[in-house]
Amino acid sequence: MSLDSLKSAIPDFAKDLKLNLGSVIGNSDLPQQQLWGTVLSCAIAARSPRVLRELEPEAKVNLSPEAYTAAKSAAAIMAMNNVFYRTRHLLSDPEYGTLRAGLRMNVIGNPGVEKIDFELWSLAVSAINGCGQCLDSHEQVLRKAGVDRETIQEAFKIASVIQAVAVTLDAEAALAAE
């Protein structure tokens, strides 16, 4: 299982996705840890068993055990936070924004890797999950830490392509099962 087998599974009508997948992963300027942590956290967030099975082994090889765990932690904590903060933002009653969240988020303060890496992975997962408030929050932390916009965009480009590949392959699998 690998990036190549995932690319070969993409149907001809989605050739752009195949090319983009190879490009955003194979030609990325991100350091290996940032790249593969983004890939793994996004593969989890995309909720596609096939995409995760294909990308996880390469991520595991390219990440330290600590980074591997942190990338999975980013996907997990953002699965919760994205729903919570997106909902508070979407509700028309602003009073919800004044209430204490009361949810444990300790991993954000101590992720086991460089904070910038964890923030980048959290931003990418937030892009998949569509939480504007979380996107803004993580982008601001990254920018204050000196991360340039190109690096941040690289993370959400990876997120967008992985999500699109997941949707496409899952739809094809569902249609083939009919």
Side-chain angles (χ1 to χ4, degrees):
M1 296 194 187
S2 68
L3 177 60
D4 288 335
S5 63
L6 185 60
K7 286 178 7 185
S8 69
I10 297 171
D12 289 340
F13 71 81
K15 181 180 178 182
D16 289 330
L17 299 182
K18 183 183 302 191
L19 296 171
N20 288 332
L21 185 63
S23 176
V24 299
I25 295 176
N27 299 326
S28 177
D29 291 330
L30 293 176
Q32 285 296 102
Q33 180 165 298
Q34 287 182 355
L35 169 64
W36 286 101
T38 302
V39 169
L40 179 58
S41 62
C42 289
I44 293 168
R47 299 175 184 88
S48 169
R50 174 138 193 211
V51 169
L52 183 57
R53 278 194 313 269
E54 298 288 352
L55 294 175
E56 184 273 343
E58 286 188 60
K60 196 168 196 172
V61 167
N62 285 287
L63 292 169
S64 68
E66 296 80 13
Y68 177 82
T69 298
K72 289 172 46 176
S73 295
I77 197 68
M78 296 318 297
M80 177 186 73
N81 284 359
N82 292 156
V83 170
F84 181 80
Y85 288 106
R86 183 179 62 234
T87 301
R88 279 199 348 186
H89 175 74
L90 290 172
L91 288 169
S92 60
D93 184 347
E95 290 297 315
Y96 288 101
T98 67
L99 299 176
R100 182 178 170 279
L103 297 171
R104 295 199 184 275
M105 302 174 219
N106 295 327
V107 71
I108 293 172
N110 187 17
V113 294
E114 293 292 323
K115 184 151 178 67
I116 287 174
D117 294 352
F118 193 82
E119 289 288 334
L120 195 66
W121 304 337
S122 296
L123 177 128
V125 171
S126 296
I128 289 173
N129 291 333
C131 181
Q133 189 172 358
C134 292
L135 282 166
D136 282 342
S137 175
H138 294 291
E139 189 266 349
Q140 288 170 13
V141 170
L142 288 163
R143 295 290 293 143
K144 285 180 186 168
V147 177
D148 59 47
R149 286 180 178 87
E150 290 78 11
T151 297
I152 294 168
Q153 180 170 287
E154 189 76 19
F156 64 81
K157 278 172 50 177
I158 293 166
S160 66
V161 173
I162 289 175
Q163 173 67 10
V165 169
V167 167
T168 301
L169 293 180
D170 286 357
E172 287 298 291
L175 292 171
E178 291 182 349

